[in-house]
Amino acid sequence: MKLGTRLLASLVPIVVLIMSVYAAWALVEREQTVTPESRQEVQAYATALGLAFDLALRDVQPENVQSLLNQVSRAPTVFGVLVYDAEGNRTFASDSLKAPSSPPRDVLRSVIATGTTAAFEREIDDQRVYSVLRAIHGSEGRPTGALEVAQPLASVEAEKALVRRRFVLNTLTLLAALIVATLWLVRRVVAQPMGRLVEGARALGGGDLAHRVAEDPGGGELATLAREFNGMAERLQTARAAADREAEGRVALERELRRAEKMAAIGTLAAGVAHEIAAPLNVISGRAELLLDRDPDAATRTRNLQIIVRQINRITTIVKELLGYAKRREPVFAPIELGTVVDGALELLEGELERAGVTVRRENGAPLPVRGDADQLHQVLVNLLLNAVQAMEGRERPELTVRLEHADGQAVLEIEDRGPGIDAGIEARLFEPFASTKPGGTGLGLAVAKSLIEEHGGRLEGRNGPSGAIFRVLIPLDEGSRSGE
């Protein structure tokens, strides 16, 4: 629920309660004044008529008296008017009364005897009325009769009902006005500034650090919050710019470091190339001198030429692998399944495995999704598998074990052979260029494989196992692919 809605849900019931209490109190106060006001009006009529009878109507004709009473009875708050003589007998009654009854005899006698005024409630023509009974005085000031003015109590109740309706209508109108004003104020003072802040937070969360929140011109806490928000965004933008510059610097530094490492590696390779090529070149030179010094028989000539060709091929192979090591392309990463790459490498080497009589035992674990370059990983696996096959040449029941498993968030691939294992003299520099124990080997294959695996964020390990050498490839699992399975 939005903040503005919550504020309205809290304020409206409070306003309704306060308005209702106030309206109820005011209504009670007004109702308490309606009855006295109505009775004061009846008493005023009675007083005025009594004075008229006392001063001006003593010698008036009866028909004129009747006309006066009828005129007074036309007032909305007057039910009827009655006149009594000194003995309490009714002498006149307004035409509005059909079958009027007399007031209580004791009250009537008391008013006439004392010349005072009495007020009471009674029934006339089956209607409850409020009556004011006033004495009429003669020329000598002595009471000569009484005058009764009756007010219907129904008119008082009608007036109270009208008062109630007016109060309810006024209260509802005022309440509606207050709610509309509250809605406008909440929207203007709270909802709109908060909406701008929410929009700014959403933009900031989406990476738009240049977004700024418009401050409330009215000031207050929300305007202060907007200023602080903009200040925070400004600081974040500055920090990100600094981080970008720092990252660019690191990238440039890493590029320079790789260039320096490459130059160092090239120096090492150059020394290794000189050492590796020197031997075959000496052989070629010696065999060529033999051919020049004497004219050997055909068999000797053929043998010498074959040796020269083999050594030239060896030099060509070294140069090709050196070029492949020095000019290796950057990997293109994509989601792949390591087990699928292993299947492709085994399928490619199926003929080699059959010719060598090698039995392959594959131990599969769970699927191993990684992010990598399928071609480069294929090249690594083919190199490791061929090394294992070549290591088991001449062995009885050669067997190759390929294990796939995962551990500590990494895909683990192990290739174990039943060969002679890794020579102790070369184990410490197993992955250095030109380190090889295979006859005719260049020693670049494992160096290239190790470099490719490291570019995938993993590592390549080699060690001796119970029955041969074990090469272990570790590559980080692609957690995004695993969570989407």
Side-chain angles (χ1 to χ4, degrees):
M1 185 182 295
K2 293 183 177 180
L3 178 60
T5 305
R6 290 202 301 270
L7 285 174
L8 285 176
S10 302
L11 289 174
V12 169
I14 296 175
V15 172
V16 170
L17 178 61
I18 294 174
M19 291 295 299
S20 299
V21 172
Y22 173 77
W25 172 80
L27 179 60
V28 170
E29 289 290 319
R30 178 58 182 154
E31 287 182 347
Q32 289 177 350
T33 61
V34 167
T35 299
E37 288 177 356
S38 299
R39 293 185 177 183
Q40 288 176 2
E41 184 179 358
V42 174
Q43 291 174 357
Y45 277 121
T47 301
L49 283 174
L51 291 174
F53 273 96
D54 289 346
L55 301 176
L57 298 178
R58 294 170 183 163
D59 300 325
V60 177
Q61 297 297 321
E63 57 271 18
N64 293 331
V65 173
Q66 185 67 43
S67 175
L68 177 61
L69 297 182
N70 290 337
Q71 288 181 3
V72 173
S73 297
R74 293 191 187 101
T77 58
V78 177
F79 183 68
V81 182
L82 300 98
V83 180
Y84 305 92
D85 59 15
E87 285 73 25
N89 299 317
R90 185 174 65 249
T91 57
F92 294 97
S94 61
D95 293 342
S96 60
L97 301 177
K98 297 178 181 178
S101 59
S102 298
R105 298 299 297 178
D106 55 342
V107 176
L108 181 57
R109 290 192 185 113
S110 174
V111 169
I112 294 173
T114 60
T116 57
T117 300
F120 51 88
E121 292 183 8
R122 72 184 187 96
E123 285 191 3
I124 300 178
D125 289 347
D126 297 328
Q127 291 265 358
R128 291 294 297 176
V129 298
Y130 172 75
S131 291
V132 176
L133 190 62
R134 183 184 185 280
I136 301 174
H137 299 83
S139 58
E140 297 178 356
R142 291 180 299 178
T144 59
L147 172 70
E148 182 182 6
V149 179
Q151 179 190 51
L153 294 179
S155 65
V156 177
E157 295 300 324
E159 179 68 18
K160 290 183 178 180
L162 179 61
V163 169
R164 293 191 192 99
R165 286 194 297 271
R166 288 177 179 173
F167 266 83
V168 170
L169 181 60
N170 292 339
T171 301
L172 291 177
T173 302
L174 182 58
L175 183 60
L178 285 174
I179 290 176
V180 171
T182 303
L183 280 171
W184 182 84
L185 285 174
V186 168
R187 180 177 176 81
R188 171 68 179 81
V189 178
V190 178
Q192 290 181 352
M194 288 301 295
R196 291 193 292 267
L197 287 170
V198 170
E199 181 182 357
R202 189 177 291 115
L204 199 64
D208 184 11
L209 299 184
H211 185 87
R212 297 295 180 269
V213 177
E215 296 182 14
D216 187 3
E221 289 81 358
L222 290 178
T224 303
L225 182 59
R227 284 195 297 273
E228 292 298 326
F229 182 91
N230 291 336
M232 179 185 66
E234 183 71 28
R235 291 190 293 273
L236 286 175
Q237 189 176 24
T238 303
R240 186 168 73 174
D244 291 342
R245 290 193 298 270
E246 184 179 351
E248 291 174 359
R250 282 201 303 270
V251 170
L253 182 60
E254 289 175 359
R255 193 179 293 116
E256 291 296 328
L257 181 60
R258 284 198 298 270
R259 187 179 295 111
E261 290 176 347
K262 189 172 183 179
M263 294 301 295
I266 289 174
T268 303
L269 288 174
V273 168
H275 175 74
E276 291 293 325
I277 294 180
L281 285 177
N282 288 331
V283 174
I284 292 171
S285 177
R287 295 295 174 173
E289 288 177 359
L290 289 175
L291 291 175
L292 290 173
D293 290 344
R294 64 174 182 268
D295 185 14
D297 56 44
T300 303
R301 183 184 302 108
T302 299
R303 180 172 175 274
N304 289 332
L305 290 174
Q306 288 175 345
I307 291 173
I308 290 173
V309 169
R310 283 198 301 272
Q311 296 302 316
I312 290 174
N313 287 338
R314 175 172 168 76
I315 293 173
T316 301
T317 300
I318 292 173
V319 172
K320 284 182 179 180
E321 291 191 2
L322 179 62
L323 289 174
Y325 180 78
K327 295 183 178 181
R328 187 171 63 253
R329 67 174 176 83
E330 292 293 325
V332 179
F333 293 98
I336 58 175
E337 168 60 41
L338 189 58
T340 303
V341 180
V342 171
D343 292 338
L346 290 173
E347 183 179 1
L348 177 67
L349 299 176
E350 186 175 354
E352 294 290 333
L353 294 171
E354 288 183 359
R355 281 192 295 271
V358 176
T359 301
V360 177
R361 185 176 68 180
R362 179 167 171 175
E363 298 177 358
N364 292 329
L368 300 176
V370 298
R371 287 189 64 82
D373 188 311
D375 292 337
Q376 291 187 354
L377 292 178
H378 177 86
Q379 176 184 348
V380 170
L381 296 179
V382 168
N383 182 280
L384 295 177
L385 292 170
L386 279 177
N387 285 348
V389 171
Q390 293 170 3
M392 293 186 291
E393 286 182 1
R395 296 273 175 168
E396 293 184 2
R397 296 191 302 277
E399 183 179 84
L400 185 63
T401 302
V402 179
R403 299 185 186 91
L404 290 167
E405 58 186 6
H406 64 83
D408 299 327
Q410 291 188 315
V412 181
L413 166 65
E414 285 189 350
I415 298 175
E416 182 178 1
D417 61 49
R418 289 190 175 181
I422 301 171
D423 187 86
I426 201 174
E427 188 172 3
R429 52 189 185 89
L430 182 63
F431 297 105
E432 293 180 3
F434 305 110
S436 176
T437 58
K438 292 189 301 182
T442 63
L444 288 174
L446 288 179
V448 172
K450 183 175 184 295
S451 178
L452 290 175
I453 294 301
E454 287 177 348
E455 288 186 358
H456 283 71
R459 64 181 188 274
L460 176 61
E461 302 172 349
R463 60 183 174 84
N464 285 318
S467 58
I470 299 176
F471 284 87
R472 197 170 191 239
V473 177
L474 298 97
I475 301 176
L477 287 169
D478 185 4
E479 296 297 338
S481 299
R482 285 173 61 83
S483 61
E485 292 176 357

